[in-house]
Amino acid sequence: MRRKIAKFSILPVFAGSMFFSFSTREAANLEIEGYSTSNLDLNYTVNLLEEDELVKDLNFKRPLPKLGKSYDGFKEALGFKESRGNYQTINEFGYMGKYQFGIGTLELLGIYNGAEFLNSPELQEAAFYTNASRNKWILIRDIARFEGKVINGVKVTESGIIAAAHLAGPGSVKKYLRSWGAQSFSDAFGTSIRNYMKKFGGYDTSFVQPEKNPRVNIKAYRA
């Protein structure tokens, strides 16, 4: 295609390329510098940057949230790890949405309709917070006891514990911590508690308030 174009005069090609370059740059600026999730009512606006891990998998560069070590940064990083941020995905084991919830966990949170869950980003965000709140309550003593310690070469932090509980469940995390890493867990893809402790350590998850048996108010997310 390029060889054929070269046969034509340079001027129209040059003018066209300048126009295309300007147009795509303007579009990129609109999408990257001014990206907002306010239409989802998630209450934050983010700036975006390229992610090397994703670029390896795709043939184009895709902007991703840069939220630092905040709670929003924590959940977005975990959501990207779980599903690349896809609210409507279902994996081969039946785990659903951006954060890859199993139906058993959703039912503990008061969510029984999988289709409704998949079609509501707001509901999925609420489910993530509610599950983190539940896990933090279950693990509150372990957080106090082990935070700052080093297990299997990884410094234990509150956010690492909450992330590991999302992966393996709070019971498995208790066993891991109280055995000083001797009793571990890996999911079907080989991801371990240690992996999540390391990858998601150091975030500020003080925003998450521990609560015993919290439930999502489903009615608040229905039209």
Side-chain angles (χ1 to χ4, degrees), residues 1-216:
M1 182 66 179
R2 292 179 179 176
R3 292 178 181 176
K4 292 181 179 179
I5 292 174
K7 295 179 181 180
F8 295 93
S9 66
I10 293 175
L11 182 59
V13 173
F14 176 76
S17 65
M18 288 294 291
F19 175 78
F20 178 77
S21 175
F22 176 78
S23 300
T24 54
R25 189 182 302 114
E26 290 298 310
N29 287 339
L30 287 173
E31 293 179 4
I32 294 176
E33 295 176 4
Y35 178 84
S36 171
T37 53
S38 60
N39 62 315
L40 296 181
D41 195 26
L42 302 183
N43 299 320
Y44 62 86
T45 301
V46 300
N47 293 319
L48 302 179
L49 73 161
E50 296 168 2
E51 173 70 28
D52 290 340
E53 183 180 353
L54 184 59
V55 171
K56 292 177 182 177
D57 294 339
L58 301 178
N59 293 322
F60 56 88
K61 296 177 181 179
R62 174 181 174 183
L64 294 171
K66 182 180 181 180
L67 300 167
K69 291 293 185 176
S70 66
Y71 167 74
D72 288 330
F74 170 70
K75 70 185 185 65
E76 292 303 323
L78 201 152
F80 180 76
K81 171 64 176 174
E82 292 286 338
S83 71
R84 303 206 181 279
N86 187 343
Y87 285 106
Q88 295 190 314
T89 190
I90 303 175
N91 77 4
E92 58 264 48
F93 302 104
Y95 290 89
M96 300 183 291
K98 177 179 175 180
Y99 301 104
Q100 292 291 276
F101 277 101
I103 190 63
T105 301
L106 289 178
E107 289 177 354
L108 285 175
L109 305 177
I111 300 170
Y112 300 94
N113 188 322
E116 182 178 38
F117 175 77
L118 280 173
N119 288 317
S120 175
E122 296 91 345
L123 181 56
Q124 292 188 37
E125 297 296 338
F128 179 81
Y129 175 85
T130 304
N131 189 54
S133 176
R134 174 180 176 272
N135 288 337
K136 188 171 181 177
W137 186 88
I138 294 171
L139 292 161
I140 195 69
R141 292 181 181 177
D142 297 278
I143 291 170
R145 177 183 174 187
F146 291 100
E147 189 169 24
K149 303 293 194 300
V150 176
I151 297 178
N152 288 335
V154 176
K155 184 178 180 180
V156 177
T157 64
E158 179 180 291
S159 63
I161 289 175
I162 292 174
H166 183 85
L167 171 76
S172 294
V173 175
K174 276 182 181 285
K175 292 178 182 178
Y176 178 83
L177 293 172
R178 295 180 184 186
S179 69
W180 290 89
Q183 296 185 46
S184 191
F185 166 94
S186 295
D187 69 5
F189 299 104
T191 306
S192 68
I193 287 175
R194 181 186 181 279
N195 295 149
Y196 265 42
M197 287 270 194
K198 182 177 181 180
K199 188 173 184 66
F200 300 107
Y203 286 87
D204 180 4
T205 49
S206 60
F207 176 77
V208 179
Q209 296 301 306
E211 185 178 348
K212 182 180 181 180
N213 298 324
R215 310 275 284 185
V216 176

